[in-house]
Amino acid sequence: MTTLQRRTGIALWRQVADQIRQSVLSGMTANERLPAEAELANRFGVNRHTVRAAIAALEKEGTLRAEQGRGTFLNDRKRLQYPIGPRTRFSSGLKDQSQTRTGKLLSSRTIPAPPRVAEALGLPKTAEVVELSTVSAADGDPISAATSWFAASRFAAIAEHYAETGSITASLARLDVDDYTRQTTAIEARHASSEDLDLLGLSPGAIVLLTRSVDVDSTGQPIQYGESRFAADRIELLIDNRAPAA
Protein backbone atom coordinates (compact mmCIF):
# COMPACT_ATOMS: atom_id res chain seq x y z
CA MET A 1 0.00 0.00 0.00
CA THR A 2 1.22 3.49 -0.83
CA THR A 3 1.69 5.64 2.27
CA LEU A 4 0.25 9.15 2.21
CA GLN A 5 1.46 11.98 4.41
CA ARG A 6 -1.52 12.96 6.56
CA ARG A 7 -0.04 15.87 8.49
CA THR A 8 1.69 17.86 5.76
CA GLY A 9 -1.16 20.26 5.00
CA ILE A 10 -1.50 18.73 1.51
CA ALA A 11 -5.02 17.39 0.92
CA LEU A 12 -5.23 13.61 0.65
CA TRP A 13 -7.06 13.73 -2.66
CA ARG A 14 -4.24 15.83 -4.11
CA GLN A 15 -1.65 13.34 -2.88
CA VAL A 16 -3.67 10.50 -4.39
CA ALA A 17 -3.83 12.35 -7.71
CA ASP A 18 -0.06 12.81 -7.66
CA GLN A 19 0.47 9.14 -6.82
CA ILE A 20 -1.82 8.06 -9.65
CA ARG A 21 0.20 10.18 -12.05
CA GLN A 22 3.52 8.87 -10.83
CA SER A 23 2.84 5.20 -10.14
CA VAL A 24 -0.40 3.88 -11.59
CA LEU A 25 -0.17 5.65 -14.94
CA SER A 26 3.53 4.90 -15.39
CA GLY A 27 2.65 1.31 -16.17
CA MET A 28 -0.41 2.03 -18.29
CA THR A 29 -0.83 2.51 -22.01
CA ALA A 30 -3.15 4.91 -23.82
CA ASN A 31 -6.86 4.06 -23.46
CA GLU A 32 -6.19 1.49 -20.71
CA ARG A 33 -8.80 1.40 -17.94
CA LEU A 34 -7.89 2.67 -14.48
CA PRO A 35 -8.33 0.20 -11.58
CA ALA A 36 -11.69 0.37 -9.84
CA GLU A 37 -12.29 3.01 -7.17
CA ALA A 38 -12.44 0.37 -4.43
CA GLU A 39 -9.06 -1.05 -5.48
CA LEU A 40 -7.49 2.40 -5.55
CA ALA A 41 -9.02 3.29 -2.18
CA ASN A 42 -7.51 0.12 -0.69
CA ARG A 43 -4.16 0.78 -2.35
CA PHE A 44 -3.89 4.29 -0.95
CA GLY A 45 -5.63 3.64 2.37
CA VAL A 46 -8.34 6.27 1.83
CA ASN A 47 -12.09 6.27 1.29
CA ARG A 48 -13.68 6.18 -2.15
CA HIS A 49 -14.76 9.81 -1.92
CA THR A 50 -11.08 10.83 -1.76
CA VAL A 51 -10.32 8.67 -4.80
CA ARG A 52 -13.22 10.23 -6.71
CA ALA A 53 -11.91 13.72 -5.97
CA ALA A 54 -8.44 12.72 -7.24
CA ILE A 55 -9.87 11.19 -10.42
CA ALA A 56 -12.04 14.26 -11.02
CA ALA A 57 -8.94 16.46 -10.83
CA LEU A 58 -7.10 14.27 -13.34
CA GLU A 59 -10.12 14.31 -15.66
CA LYS A 60 -10.15 18.11 -15.55
CA GLU A 61 -6.50 18.18 -16.56
CA GLY A 62 -7.16 15.78 -19.44
CA THR A 63 -5.04 12.95 -18.04
CA LEU A 64 -8.07 10.69 -17.57
CA ARG A 65 -11.51 10.40 -19.15
CA ALA A 66 -14.65 8.80 -17.76
CA GLU A 67 -16.95 6.73 -19.97
CA GLN A 68 -20.46 6.09 -18.69
CA GLY A 69 -20.91 2.44 -17.78
CA ARG A 70 -17.36 1.47 -18.75
CA GLY A 71 -15.02 3.12 -16.29
CA THR A 72 -12.17 5.62 -16.29
CA PHE A 73 -9.44 5.47 -18.89
CA LEU A 74 -6.02 6.96 -19.53
CA ASN A 75 -6.36 9.49 -22.31
CA ASP A 76 -4.46 8.87 -25.51
CA ARG A 77 -3.47 12.50 -25.83
CA LYS A 78 0.29 12.71 -26.12
CA ARG A 79 2.25 15.55 -24.63
CA LEU A 80 3.42 18.07 -27.18
CA GLN A 81 7.13 18.71 -27.61
CA TYR A 82 8.07 22.38 -27.42
CA PRO A 83 11.57 22.95 -28.84
CA ILE A 84 13.80 25.47 -27.10
CA GLY A 85 16.77 26.47 -29.20
CA PRO A 86 18.38 29.35 -31.07
CA ARG A 87 15.02 30.34 -32.55
CA THR A 88 12.25 29.55 -30.11
CA ARG A 89 8.78 30.25 -31.51
CA PHE A 90 5.45 29.00 -30.12
CA SER A 91 3.58 28.69 -33.40
CA SER A 92 6.32 27.23 -35.60
CA GLY A 93 7.56 24.97 -32.81
CA LEU A 94 4.19 23.23 -32.58
CA LYS A 95 3.03 23.49 -36.20
CA ASP A 96 3.59 19.79 -36.97
CA GLN A 97 1.86 18.68 -33.76
CA SER A 98 -1.33 20.73 -33.75
CA GLN A 99 -3.84 22.12 -36.21
CA THR A 100 -4.16 25.54 -34.61
CA ARG A 101 -1.97 27.74 -32.41
CA THR A 102 -3.36 30.89 -30.86
CA GLY A 103 -2.23 33.61 -28.49
CA LYS A 104 -4.49 35.83 -26.41
CA LEU A 105 -3.61 39.07 -24.70
CA LEU A 106 -4.96 39.10 -21.15
CA SER A 107 -3.60 42.45 -20.01
CA SER A 108 -0.87 45.01 -20.65
CA ARG A 109 0.61 47.94 -18.79
CA THR A 110 3.63 50.23 -18.82
CA ILE A 111 5.52 50.14 -15.52
CA PRO A 112 8.94 50.93 -14.05
CA ALA A 113 11.17 47.96 -14.85
CA PRO A 114 11.40 45.49 -11.94
CA PRO A 115 15.06 44.93 -11.01
CA ARG A 116 15.26 41.43 -12.55
CA VAL A 117 13.68 42.72 -15.78
CA ALA A 118 15.97 45.73 -16.04
CA GLU A 119 18.98 43.47 -15.54
CA ALA A 120 17.81 40.94 -18.13
CA LEU A 121 17.11 43.65 -20.73
CA GLY A 122 20.21 45.70 -19.91
CA LEU A 123 18.13 48.75 -19.03
CA PRO A 124 18.76 51.57 -16.56
CA LYS A 125 17.00 51.16 -13.22
CA THR A 126 14.77 54.12 -14.09
CA ALA A 127 13.60 52.68 -17.42
CA GLU A 128 10.00 51.76 -18.15
CA VAL A 129 8.86 48.52 -19.72
CA VAL A 130 5.71 47.25 -21.38
CA GLU A 131 4.41 44.17 -19.56
CA LEU A 132 2.21 41.71 -21.44
CA SER A 133 0.24 38.88 -19.84
CA THR A 134 -0.77 36.26 -22.39
CA VAL A 135 -2.04 32.71 -22.73
CA SER A 136 -1.24 30.43 -25.68
CA ALA A 137 -3.24 27.42 -26.85
CA ALA A 138 -2.83 24.52 -29.27
CA ASP A 139 -5.97 23.03 -30.80
CA GLY A 140 -7.99 24.96 -28.24
CA ASP A 141 -6.16 23.58 -25.19
CA PRO A 142 -4.29 26.16 -23.10
CA ILE A 143 -0.61 25.23 -23.13
CA SER A 144 1.19 28.14 -21.52
CA ALA A 145 0.60 31.35 -19.62
CA ALA A 146 3.30 33.98 -19.90
CA THR A 147 4.40 37.39 -18.74
CA SER A 148 6.75 39.25 -21.08
CA TRP A 149 8.53 42.57 -20.79
CA PHE A 150 9.84 44.92 -23.47
CA ALA A 151 11.63 48.27 -23.29
CA ALA A 152 8.90 50.91 -23.53
CA SER A 153 11.24 53.30 -25.33
CA ARG A 154 11.46 50.90 -28.27
CA PHE A 155 8.30 48.79 -28.11
CA ALA A 156 5.61 51.11 -26.76
CA ALA A 157 3.03 49.77 -29.23
CA ILE A 158 3.69 46.05 -28.84
CA ALA A 159 0.53 45.37 -26.84
CA GLU A 160 -1.62 46.80 -29.61
CA HIS A 161 0.13 44.66 -32.20
CA TYR A 162 -0.10 41.50 -30.09
CA ALA A 163 -3.82 42.05 -29.53
CA GLU A 164 -4.23 42.04 -33.32
CA THR A 165 -1.83 39.23 -34.25
CA GLY A 166 -1.72 36.93 -31.22
CA SER A 167 1.99 36.47 -31.97
CA ILE A 168 5.13 37.94 -30.40
CA THR A 169 7.08 37.26 -33.61
CA ALA A 170 4.53 39.03 -35.81
CA SER A 171 4.30 41.91 -33.36
CA LEU A 172 8.07 42.40 -33.29
CA ALA A 173 8.18 42.26 -37.10
CA ARG A 174 5.74 45.18 -37.20
CA LEU A 175 8.20 47.04 -34.98
CA ASP A 176 11.14 46.44 -37.32
CA VAL A 177 12.56 43.35 -35.60
CA ASP A 178 12.61 40.91 -38.50
CA ASP A 179 14.52 38.22 -36.62
CA TYR A 180 15.62 37.44 -33.09
CA THR A 181 17.30 34.57 -31.25
CA ARG A 182 17.16 33.01 -27.82
CA GLN A 183 20.07 34.07 -25.64
CA THR A 184 19.28 32.19 -22.43
CA THR A 185 16.59 29.91 -21.00
CA ALA A 186 16.33 28.74 -17.40
CA ILE A 187 13.83 25.98 -16.53
CA GLU A 188 12.33 24.84 -13.25
CA ALA A 189 9.31 22.84 -12.13
CA ARG A 190 6.84 24.03 -9.51
CA HIS A 191 3.23 23.64 -8.44
CA ALA A 192 0.84 25.81 -10.40
CA SER A 193 -0.29 29.02 -8.74
CA SER A 194 -4.00 29.73 -8.31
CA GLU A 195 -3.80 32.06 -11.32
CA ASP A 196 -2.18 29.38 -13.48
CA LEU A 197 -4.77 26.82 -12.37
CA ASP A 198 -7.44 29.12 -13.78
CA LEU A 199 -5.61 30.18 -16.95
CA LEU A 200 -4.49 26.67 -17.91
CA GLY A 201 -7.54 24.76 -16.68
CA LEU A 202 -5.57 22.71 -14.15
CA SER A 203 -6.48 21.25 -10.78
CA PRO A 204 -4.73 22.01 -7.48
CA GLY A 205 -1.43 20.17 -7.19
CA ALA A 206 -0.71 20.27 -10.93
CA ILE A 207 2.86 20.91 -12.00
CA VAL A 208 3.97 23.64 -14.40
CA LEU A 209 7.32 24.06 -16.10
CA LEU A 210 8.55 27.61 -15.61
CA THR A 211 10.95 29.10 -18.14
CA ARG A 212 12.78 32.40 -17.77
CA SER A 213 14.20 33.55 -21.07
CA VAL A 214 15.94 36.42 -22.82
CA ASP A 215 15.69 37.04 -26.58
CA VAL A 216 18.03 39.31 -28.51
CA ASP A 217 17.89 41.01 -31.91
CA SER A 218 20.43 40.62 -34.71
CA THR A 219 22.80 43.08 -33.00
CA GLY A 220 22.73 41.16 -29.73
CA GLN A 221 20.53 43.73 -27.99
CA PRO A 222 18.05 42.14 -25.52
CA ILE A 223 14.51 42.80 -26.69
CA GLN A 224 12.33 40.51 -24.57
CA TYR A 225 12.46 38.98 -21.11
CA GLY A 226 9.77 36.40 -20.50
CA GLU A 227 8.52 34.07 -17.78
CA SER A 228 6.31 31.30 -19.18
CA ARG A 229 4.44 28.57 -17.32
CA PHE A 230 3.75 25.39 -19.31
CA ALA A 231 1.25 22.72 -18.25
CA ALA A 232 3.56 19.77 -17.57
CA ASP A 233 0.87 17.18 -18.30
CA ARG A 234 0.38 18.62 -21.79
CA ILE A 235 3.83 19.59 -22.96
CA GLU A 236 7.48 18.70 -22.60
CA LEU A 237 10.34 21.07 -23.28
CA LEU A 238 12.85 19.81 -25.83
CA ILE A 239 16.27 21.47 -25.77
CA ASP A 240 17.34 21.86 -29.41
CA ASN A 241 20.95 22.98 -29.80
CA ARG A 242 21.06 22.90 -33.56
CA ALA A 243 22.29 26.09 -35.17
CA PRO A 244 19.58 28.40 -36.57
CA ALA A 245 18.95 28.27 -40.29
CA ALA A 246 20.74 30.88 -42.36
Side-chain angles (χ1 to χ4, degrees):
M1 182 180 71
T2 300
T3 301
L4 303 180
Q5 303 300 315
R6 297 177 180 272
R7 297 182 180 179
T8 62
I10 302 175
L12 289 178
W13 68 264
R14 183 188 299 181
Q15 294 184 56
V16 171
D18 288 342
Q19 290 287 345
I20 290 175
R21 288 192 196 95
Q22 295 169 13
S23 59
V24 179
L25 299 184
S26 63
M28 295 176 65
T29 58
N31 297 311
E32 185 175 345
R33 187 167 63 183
L34 198 70
E37 286 182 0
E39 180 181 340
L40 290 173
N42 181 65
R43 180 180 304 185
F44 295 113
V46 296
N47 60 44
R48 293 177 65 172
H49 177 75
T50 300
V51 170
R52 289 193 195 104
I55 290 174
L58 293 173
E59 288 177 3
K60 180 179 179 182
E61 294 174 12
T63 300
L64 302 175
R65 72 176 186 279
E67 296 185 9
Q68 185 67 34
R70 297 191 63 222
T72 303
F73 297 81
L74 175 63
N75 258 335
D76 59 0
R77 181 176 65 184
K78 294 182 179 180
R79 287 191 298 175
L80 301 173
Q81 283 192 339
Y82 183 65
I84 295 177
R87 283 187 172 85
T88 301
R89 310 286 192 268
F90 181 82
S91 186
S92 61
L94 298 179
K95 68 178 181 180
D96 295 328
Q97 305 174 68
S98 59
Q99 295 296 316
T100 62
R101 282 84 50 204
T102 59
K104 179 181 179 181
L105 178 65
L106 302 177
S107 65
S108 67
R109 58 178 182 164
T110 299
I111 60 173
R116 72 185 188 286
V117 175
E119 180 180 3
L121 294 177
L123 298 174
K125 295 180 180 179
T126 58
E128 291 192 328
V129 291
V130 179
E131 178 186 271
L132 304 185
S133 294
T134 61
V135 64
S136 298
D139 292 336
D141 292 326
I143 297 298
S144 70
T147 307
S148 306
W149 294 267
F150 306 82
S153 59
R154 184 177 179 185
F155 301 110
I158 193 163
E160 174 185 341
H161 293 305
Y162 187 90
E164 294 176 0
T165 65
S167 165
I168 293 293
T169 300
S171 300
L172 288 171
R174 289 186 175 189
L175 295 168
D176 300 321
V177 179
D178 295 325
D179 191 24
Y180 60 96
T181 55
R182 178 61 54 90
Q183 184 179 72
T184 61
T185 304
I187 304 172
E188 67 177 82
R190 72 181 190 190
H191 282 97
S193 67
S194 58
E195 179 184 19
D196 291 337
L197 295 179
D198 182 54
L199 293 177
L200 298 175
L202 303 174
S203 60
I207 300 297
V208 294
L209 302 175
L210 170 66
T211 65
R212 297 184 177 91
S213 60
V214 177
D215 293 314
V216 299
D217 63 17
S218 59
T219 70
Q221 176 67 37
I223 57 171
Q224 175 184 195
Y225 171 65
E227 296 178 352
S228 300
R229 292 89 66 200
F230 295 87
D233 283 345
R234 299 172 193 160
I235 203 160
E236 62 182 22
L237 304 179
L238 176 66
I239 306 302
D240 186 348
N241 292 319
R242 289 173 292 183

